[in-house]
Amino acid sequence: MQKSFLFTIILIVLPSCAFAVSYQPLYIVDRPTSGIIPRSTYRLDTEIFSEGGVRFELLFGFFDRINIGLSYSATNVIGSGKPVLSPHPEGEIRLRCINEGYTYPAVSIGFSSSGRGAYIEEQKRYRYKSAGGYLVLSKNFYYPLGNAGIHTGVGYTLEREDGESVSPFIGFDMDFTEFITVHIEYDAALSDTSRELTRGYGYLNTSLSFNMAKNFKINVILRDLLRNAKGITQPDRSLLVTFYYLY
């Protein structure tokens, strides 16, 4: 089923590819990069995830080095039954402290309370916890097929009902044509200590980005390739659609 899902997406999106995306990646998969969107630009994300869930995120480039955003999600939106709303909107702010140079990485700090997946009321957390306060470094390289970026950082989430810790993450993105980019990240999830929900392996996530136009891309996301979350036998699949606009 997983292979047929990916094959269907590829068949849908490849004929429409026309322009390469020129915006910096803001996330490896779920964890942040040092990327920011330019001033007077906003980004709209719409993600469809498991349990009939939908998540919206709106991020604004108010200043040259500062982005501010809001997100909101709900489950059981798609399908039958009553939708289950998250208790409140979530927020993000990120500051680019150091721009990337030839021999040194870009450095950003920020805060994000926007987790991924369903909100679990009993434990006051999302299925995949938010980054919380974070520090991240990113370095890009060019190679014959395009750009490759390496990202590493640490986060401290406020979703601490079942454990708290500074948690490192690392990942990379790599262009395979000007229209397709692969993203892979590993989040140690040291704050995710609930043995009711997880096995303690951390989260290995990947996504395939189809750069449909200069301001439009589609991401096919596979989360938890290590089967860290209890009760799942296959990676957690979702679909993310991103638009960029000027204002």
Side-chain angles (χ1 to χ4, degrees), residues 57-178:
E57 182 176 57
L58 192 58
L59 194 69
F60 293 90
F62 284 118
F63 306 100
D64 290 336
R65 295 193 181 205
I66 298 177
N67 291 169
I68 299 173
L70 289 172
S71 65
Y72 192 73
S73 63
T75 54
N76 212 28
V77 175
I78 299 172
S80 60
K82 184 178 179 181
V84 180
L85 304 179
S86 296
H88 46 70
E90 306 295 351
E92 174 164 1
I93 182 168
R94 68 171 69 189
L95 168 66
R96 169 72 70 80
C97 302
I98 301 174
N99 285 326
E100 181 178 347
Y102 185 74
T103 59
Y104 55 86
V107 179
S108 292
I109 60 173
F111 173 81
S112 174
S113 62
S114 180
R116 303 296 193 266
Y119 186 80
I120 304 170
E121 180 63 37
E122 296 78 9
Q123 296 180 319
K124 308 298 181 186
R125 57 166 288 181
Y126 290 89
R127 167 64 72 181
Y128 308 102
K129 288 185 176 183
S130 63
Y134 61 83
L135 166 70
V136 59
L137 290 73
S138 298
K139 188 72 179 78
N140 290 280
F141 306 90
Y142 290 99
Y143 79 113
L145 294 180
N147 182 73
I150 299 175
H151 317 277
T152 184
V154 293
Y156 184 78
T157 184
L158 296 185
E159 297 166 58
R160 300 178 295 184
E161 291 286 322
D162 57 348
E164 58 180 298
S165 177
V166 173
S167 187
F169 57 88
I170 190 168
F172 70 89
D173 58 84
M174 180 176 290
D175 295 340
F176 278 91
T177 71
E178 61 179 326

Side-chain angles (χ1 to χ4, degrees), residues 51 116-129 159-163 189 191-203 224 226-234 236:
E51 301 180 58
R116 303 296 193 266
Y119 186 80
I120 304 170
E121 180 63 37
E122 296 78 9
Q123 296 180 319
K124 308 298 181 186
R125 57 166 288 181
Y126 290 89
R127 167 64 72 181
Y128 308 102
K129 288 185 176 183
E159 297 166 58
R160 300 178 295 184
E161 291 286 322
D162 57 348
S191 64
D192 205 343
T193 57
S194 173
R195 292 300 170 258
E196 296 178 18
L197 298 175
T198 68
R199 298 182 172 90
Y201 304 156
Y203 292 103
D224 197 9
L226 299 179
R227 317 295 198 271
N228 183 50
K230 291 184 176 179
I232 71 164
T233 58
Q234 297 291 328
D236 192 354

